[in-house]
Amino acid sequence: MEVQTDKITILNHPLINHNLSIIRDKDSDCEKFKNALKRITYALIFEATKNLPVVKKEVTTPLQKTICDCFNEQAQLIIAPILRAGMIFCEVAQELLPFANVHHIGMYRDEQTLEPVWYYDKRKQIKPNKKDVFVLILDPMLATGNSAIDAVKNFISKGVLEENITFVSLISSPLGLEKLSKKYPKVRIVTCAKDERLNEKGYILPGLGDAGDRIYNTVE
Ligand code: URA
């Protein structure tokens, strides 16, 4: 189902690839685009959470007792969508992880420098038992890698362990993957495609265009 290096997982599955073709198609309208993206989000979140800690719990079925693996409630899980496009992953992520906290990251890309500009960050310091804090940073496009690196840096500065951070994207550029994994080699990256390259404006080729514009129907 996937191409796996140590820390980078590129999902490869007919259902994912089919939905990705809908997402990439410039003629898919906002509704089609969002529905296809939502379907893929389930696979991304399942993969991104596959190493979460579990504890054994006794459960009684209608027939007998059994031992089940359950999410360790001592652990804190943080879903961190990078605004605005990252919000597209949020509904499904919350559905699958109802016990998680959502921390919005407000960042936009300066069109000249391609550097991230922060405008919203209300995160508090992380709990002292930081071994039990896990963060999923959500952004459909891992392009230059600059926003991803800044978001990871911010969580680490608040006390999260690098190895407990997973970056979830739909499409990644070779440069973004390389920069993020060189700067933070312990961060896991889960994505569905490694595209060809970036253009001079920092857009991924072939990509899907501007993710935020396509999600929020603001394509001009
Ligand atoms: N952000 C987008 O929305 N699209 C890209 O191709 C790159 C960054």
Side-chain angles (χ1 to χ4, degrees):
M1 152 138 178
E2 68 229 26
V3 175
Q4 181 102 41
T5 66
D6 188 22
K7 287 286 172 184
I8 301 175
T9 302
I10 302 174
L11 296 178
N12 181 21
H13 185 285
L15 290 181
I16 294 175
N17 298 341
H18 174 76
N19 281 289
L20 200 47
S21 78
I22 296 171
I23 290 167
R24 288 189 191 277
D25 187 341
K26 69 175 177 41
D27 293 328
S28 294
D29 64 13
C30 179
E31 189 182 19
K32 258 181 127 176
F33 181 94
K34 281 168 65 175
N35 286 337
L37 190 33
K38 240 184 186 175
R39 290 191 283 267
I40 291 183
T41 306
Y42 287 95
L44 281 168
I45 301 297
F46 270 102
E47 175 63 29
T49 51
K50 75 174 181 194
N51 298 325
L52 282 184
V54 289
V55 287
K56 302 282 178 203
K57 189 174 159 192
E58 188 178 273
V59 170
T60 310
T61 76
L63 301 175
Q64 67 167 67
K65 289 187 193 308
T66 185
I67 302 295
C68 297
D69 283 342
C70 296
F71 182 68
N72 180 1
E73 286 174 15
Q74 297 307 309
Q76 183 189 9
L77 184 58
I78 297 173
I79 299 170
I82 300 184
L83 302 176
R84 64 183 166 151
M87 285 304 293
I88 190 72
F89 290 140
C90 215
E91 194 183 317
V92 170
Q94 276 198 285
E95 180 190 333
L96 294 175
L97 307 163
F99 38 78
N101 309 125
V102 178
H103 290 275
H104 298 91
I105 299 177
M107 228 192 247
Y108 67 87
R109 191 161 63 157
D110 182 295
E111 292 196 354
Q112 306 304 318
T113 63
L114 303 185
E115 289 296 327
V117 181
W118 285 77
Y119 63 89
Y120 189 81
D121 173 24
K122 277 195 82 176
R123 279 190 311 283
K124 304 183 200 89
Q125 283 295 324
I126 303 302
K127 287 185 190 171
N129 56 339
K130 54 190 180 181
K131 258 184 30 242
D132 293 334
V133 179
F134 298 85
V135 179
L136 298 182
I137 301 175
L138 311 178
D139 189 342
M141 308 305 276
L142 175 56
T144 62
N146 296 340
S147 311
I149 287 172
D150 244 39
V152 170
K153 180 166 131 204
N154 205 271
F155 275 110
I156 291 174
S157 77
K158 299 244 181 346
V160 178
L161 300 178
E162 184 182 327
E163 58 269 33
N164 287 3
I165 299 176
T166 301
F167 191 89
V168 179
S169 75
L170 177 70
I171 298 178
S172 301
S173 75
L175 179 71
L177 286 170
E178 189 185 327
K179 275 172 62 179
L180 179 57
S181 55
K182 275 210 172 129
K183 180 86 182 164
Y184 293 112
K186 295 182 190 162
V187 168
R188 264 191 88 208
I189 303 172
V190 180
T191 189
C192 294
K194 178 177 175 179
D195 271 10
E196 287 166 23
R197 63 187 176 90
L198 295 179
N199 71 8
E200 64 291 347
K201 291 186 171 163
Y203 280 90
I204 298 176
L205 298 177
L208 51 75
D210 187 293
D213 281 342
R214 297 204 55 198
I215 294 162
Y216 295 106
N217 208 10
T218 51
V219 182
E220 283 167 11

